[in-house]
Amino acid sequence: MVKAGDGYKDIPIGGLILDAGNAKDYNTGGWRTKRPVLDKERCINCHLCWAFCPDIAILSEDGVVSDQIDYDHCKGCGICANECPVNAIEMVKE
C-alpha cells in the first residue's frame, strides 16, 4: 500500500495485487450504479452469493446469510444475483 511521503518509485505498477486477501482494505462501493437487495423470504441460505462475491460484501453470521450487505465494499457487479438459484437477490438502481 502506498503511504504518504512515498516517491514515484515506491508506487506499484497499476493492476497488481501485492497482498492476498486485501479486499477489505478498499472501499469500492462508490463505483456502483446498482445495488443488490436480498429478499430473505426467498433466500434458501445456500451461500452461493457469499461464495462468489469477489468483494466480501455478502455477510454471513453463524452460518446464515445476513440480510445486511456491506455496501462499502460492494461495487454492484451483480455476480451474487446471477448465482442465486432462487432469484432472492435483485439488482436495483442506486
Side-chain angles (χ1 to χ4, degrees):
M1 185 160 249
V2 179
K3 297 176 286 311
D6 285 349
Y8 76 94
K9 291 182 180 180
D10 298 312
I11 299 173
I13 297 171
L16 295 178
I17 298 173
L18 303 177
D19 301 312
N22 67 353
K24 68 179 182 287
D25 297 335
Y26 300 97
N27 291 345
T28 55
W31 303 354
R32 192 176 53 245
T33 58
K34 290 186 174 183
R35 73 173 43 208
V37 176
L38 177 65
D39 180 349
K40 285 295 284 183
E41 296 293 320
R42 296 178 82 174
C43 178
I44 60 172
N45 204 42
C46 67
H47 279 81
L48 287 175
C49 57
W50 176 83
F52 279 93
C53 178
D55 297 306
I56 63 169
I58 304 295
L59 305 176
S60 178
E61 299 171 6
D62 299 322
V64 177
V65 175
S66 172
D67 59 350
Q68 300 296 311
I69 295 174
D70 183 353
Y71 290 119
D72 285 338
H73 292 99
C74 172
K75 59 177 158 291
C77 67
I79 292 173
C80 58
N82 188 61
E83 294 300 326
C84 181
V86 294
N87 297 318
I89 300 174
E90 180 183 1
M91 298 301 292
V92 297
K93 190 173 182 176
E94 281 284 333

